[in-house]
Amino acid sequence: MNFKKIAEYFEKIESASSRLIMTGILAELFSEADSAEITKIIYLLQGQLAPAHKQIEVGMGEKYIEKAIAKAGGYSAGEVHSEFKELGDLGLVAEHFIKNKKQKSLFSAELSIEKVFSNLMKIATSSGSGSQDLKIKLIAELLNSASQLEARYLVRIPLGNMRLGIGDPTIMDALAINLTKEARQDKKLVKEIESTLKEKKEEKREAEFERKLRVKLRERIEAKYNVHSDLGSVAEKLKSKGVNGLDEISIEPGTPIRPTLAERLPSAEEIIKKLGKCAIEAKYDGFRLAIHKDGNKVTIFSRQQENVTPMFPELSEAVKKQVKAKDAIFEGEALAFNEETGEYYSFQITIQRKRKYNVKEMSEQFPLKLFAFDVLYIDGKSLMGLPFKERRKRLEKMIGKGKTLGLSDSIITDNPKEIETYFNERVEKGLEGIIAKDLNAPYIAGARKFAWIKLKRSYKGELSDTVDAVIVGYFKGKGKRTQFGLGGLLTAVYDEKEDVFRSVAKIGTGMTEENLSELEKILSKIKREKKPQRVDSGVEPDFWVEPKYVVEVLADEITKSPMHKAAGLALRFPRMIKIRTDKKAEQATTVKEIKQMFKAQRHVKLGE
Ligand code: AMP
């Protein structure tokens, strides 16, 4: 498949007016691609060259892209820069200069997706002196052979922003659509679905069948993606082996698994009502890490599935010493912990350990302790299907003595009073609260299904928990804030079903002056001229931005609001607590959770 064709599809997707249309176009693109191409296309849609955990980043700054455009078009970097100031999007700038190229290139060949990938890979892997010139040359070379439209997307890739507005759920929907024809040959599956059909009339029955088949396929795809965070390779298996190709994918050390998520309930009684006898664990306020041990090789993944191994050398060392298994995958919360005083440092201190430089000094000053709380794999066997109580036993057996790795503090109870006492004691120690765990639940990757329930300390307001909201726009500063260029944020929560971010609050308080300039700096880079397709908002900000950054927000309560789109609910008196660098936009609080929080709040208020 040539890159021109892909660029044409990207353009159609970018200008599609609804998610449904987008999904249809995407399905068409997938059906045209072969199994090697589909993998690459999916990575590009995700704005990367390989799954995120492989950390292959093309990353080129705007200045260098400007130079590459100048080189390919026969213009000066100054001319390109002034056009960029005018248009605000280097993709469009590249389009402009390729259209008005001063000289026809001598060697211009049709661009294949392989050629594009090969140049981009060279860029991603070149470093050291002279590498910048080489990178500029490699992009310019591609631009030389590119049409206008190809140029638009070629420069957006190294900038890390494709502006297509497509999330993983939409990609999975499109893959499912693609598979329905083939899946109709699967007699067992067809029978299974037919037995659940409710419609009587033939025509309607057929539509119901098709809908249910898609849902089923989509579920299967997602279940695999949850345990194998590489959508490109999942798609490759589907393309080459069909639906049953999915069976060949299993969990393995080195490939991240999507984390299980916690639900909320407002009180200890409700937790016991829901789970009965359960485990109650301390909720540590650090960052979640997944540790993969493959013999002597330790890889550490963040909650966002980034490979953060180099940041925590003391953890890798401890894993080699303390873990009594050759291969393992387990999870825990890491925080800076003062062993001498038995004191937990605040999140502000812990988060400083997420750094690329001065790692050694900081690891000596604030060494981390990892409180392990789950295990998913030991020596060739997946433990995900085992009940939690069994996994905990294996975890306890697996972690040997030492001071860096420990187990999360935990009790088992069916008594709400006991939970409350435990909760209060943890909060007094400076912890966030507790997490209740269903003793019989398997590990549910990537989903929130009451296997875990969190209860956080109240921040005096009526809402006992904060909301993680995605920034979708911002407002210019007024008065004193004019100097920062940012005075407030428009934020949204995530509708997982529709893959859309729905506005929930305009936030003007809680930010320090430092926050304001930091936010302006990062947000101005991802400004969008129009409202991004995946955003649904009744409020118009001064600037729209790509949904990318998550902030933790505290509010007094959730109220009904005609202005906002999160099921007509909004946060009242919202204030920002912190920027959550550990969460991706799709990991923000969901519309469903906001609805539950609204309901729970009513229960509390009315004393129901
Ligand atoms: P939240 O980020 O507020 O949705 O709460 C869930 C997070 O709490 C998890 O993703 C972990 O990072 C963190 N956490 C802290 N202590 C524990 C624990 N004992 N068990 C599970 N998760 C924990």
Side-chain angles (χ1 to χ4, degrees), residues 259-264 280-289 303 331-335 371-374 388 392 408-410 432-437 448 452 454 456 465-466 468 552 580 582-583 587 589 593:
T260 203
L261 304 171
E263 296 268 9
R264 303 174 160 82
I280 302 290
E281 298 194 8
K283 186 173 193 302
Y284 302 94
D285 195 7
F287 33 81
R288 181 174 187 165
L289 296 176
R303 180 180 177 142
E331 272 196 301
E333 188 88 354
L335 58 163
F371 294 91
F373 54 68
D374 217 324
F388 173 67
R392 175 81 192 190
S408 58
D409 193 62
S410 146
E432 257 195 316
I434 53 154
I435 297 213
K437 297 185 176 175
R448 214 180 288 277
W452 289 10
K454 61 186 171 185
K456 287 207 216 173
D465 196 3
T466 53
D468 295 321
E552 185 173 356
R580 285 206 63 158
D582 61 328
K583 280 199 172 178
Q587 292 168 332
T589 302
E593 284 181 275

Side-chain angles (χ1 to χ4, degrees), residues 78-289:
E79 284 170 301
V80 175
H81 186 64
S82 21
E83 191 68 20
F84 177 36
K85 274 192 168 155
E86 187 86 0
L87 295 176
D89 169 9
L90 277 172
L92 301 181
V93 174
E95 230 178 305
H96 171 81
F97 284 103
I98 293 304
K99 180 173 169 206
N100 302 299
K101 231 197 292 196
K102 282 207 177 140
Q103 61 198 50
K104 266 235 158 275
S105 34
L106 291 176
F107 311 103
S108 145
E110 202 173 75
L111 283 176
S112 65
I113 178 140
E114 286 78 19
K115 170 68 184 163
V116 171
F117 251 70
S118 139
N119 276 27
L120 293 172
M121 274 295 186
K122 279 188 205 151
I123 294 175
T125 48
S126 72
S127 61
S129 72
S131 67
Q132 290 304 351
D133 284 343
L134 175 69
K135 290 179 183 182
I136 293 169
K137 212 178 113 219
L138 288 163
I139 292 288
E141 187 198 339
L142 293 176
L143 287 175
N144 251 325
S145 310
S147 66
Q148 281 170 248
L149 209 53
E150 285 171 286
R152 182 196 299 182
Y153 296 104
L154 279 175
V155 308
R156 283 185 187 167
I157 305 166
L159 289 168
N161 190 355
M162 293 295 277
R163 296 174 178 243
L164 293 178
I166 281 199
D168 292 346
T170 307
I171 299 179
M172 289 190 274
D173 280 354
L175 287 172
I177 293 178
N178 236 258
L179 278 179
T180 48
K181 216 166 162 191
E182 177 208 313
R184 281 171 183 270
Q185 311 301 319
D186 185 331
K187 289 203 182 93
K188 199 170 140 225
L189 183 65
V190 169
K191 230 176 167 175
E192 188 188 318
I193 296 174
E194 273 177 347
S195 69
T196 67
L197 296 182
K198 296 203 174 73
E199 297 286 353
K200 292 275 174 295
K201 283 207 187 105
E202 193 49 44
E203 227 170 79
K204 283 190 172 171
R205 217 174 143 78
E206 170 53 30
E208 191 191 358
F209 179 84
E210 177 78 15
R211 202 180 60 245
K212 286 194 162 162
L213 183 59
R214 267 186 208 178
V215 171
K216 194 105 206 151
L217 293 169
R218 171 69 164 76
E219 278 170 8
R220 279 209 197 166
I221 295 169
E222 186 162 1
K224 275 297 165 192
Y225 183 37
N226 284 342
V227 298
H228 188 88
S229 292
D230 178 352
L231 204 45
S233 83
V234 172
E236 192 268 328
K237 275 275 180 296
L238 286 174
K239 203 72 200 180
S240 58
K241 305 244 163 111
V243 192
N244 296 328
L246 289 176
D247 299 338
E248 290 179 17
I249 301 173
S250 61
I251 99 176
E252 59 189 17
T255 305
I257 295 162
R258 296 175 89 197
T260 203
L261 304 171
E263 296 268 9
R264 303 174 160 82
L265 280 177
S267 67
E269 282 93 60
E270 298 228 18
I271 289 176
I272 294 297
K273 233 199 283 168
K274 186 93 198 168
L275 300 182
K277 191 170 175 182
C278 57
I280 302 290
E281 298 194 8
K283 186 173 193 302
Y284 302 94
D285 195 7
F287 33 81
R288 181 174 187 165
L289 296 176

Side-chain angles (χ1 to χ4, degrees), residues 52-55 298-302 305-311:
H53 66 272
K54 297 235 164 105
Q55 279 185 309
V298 177
T299 316
I300 307 176
F301 293 114
S302 71
Q305 278 129 50
E306 302 154 297
N307 183 336
V308 289
T309 320
M311 294 181 188

Side-chain angles (χ1 to χ4, degrees), residues 28 78 110-111 159 177 180 197 204 237 241 287 346 353 362 384 390 409 451 457 472 523 530 536 550 582 596:
E28 212 180 293
E110 202 173 75
L111 283 176
L159 289 168
I177 293 178
T180 48
L197 296 182
K204 283 190 172 171
K237 275 275 180 296
K241 305 244 163 111
F287 33 81
S346 68
R353 289 298 316 276
M362 284 301 278
M384 291 181 64
E390 192 53 45
D409 193 62
R457 64 173 177 248
V472 294
L523 295 177
K530 288 186 300 189
D536 178 22
V550 176
D582 61 328
Q596 282 169 351

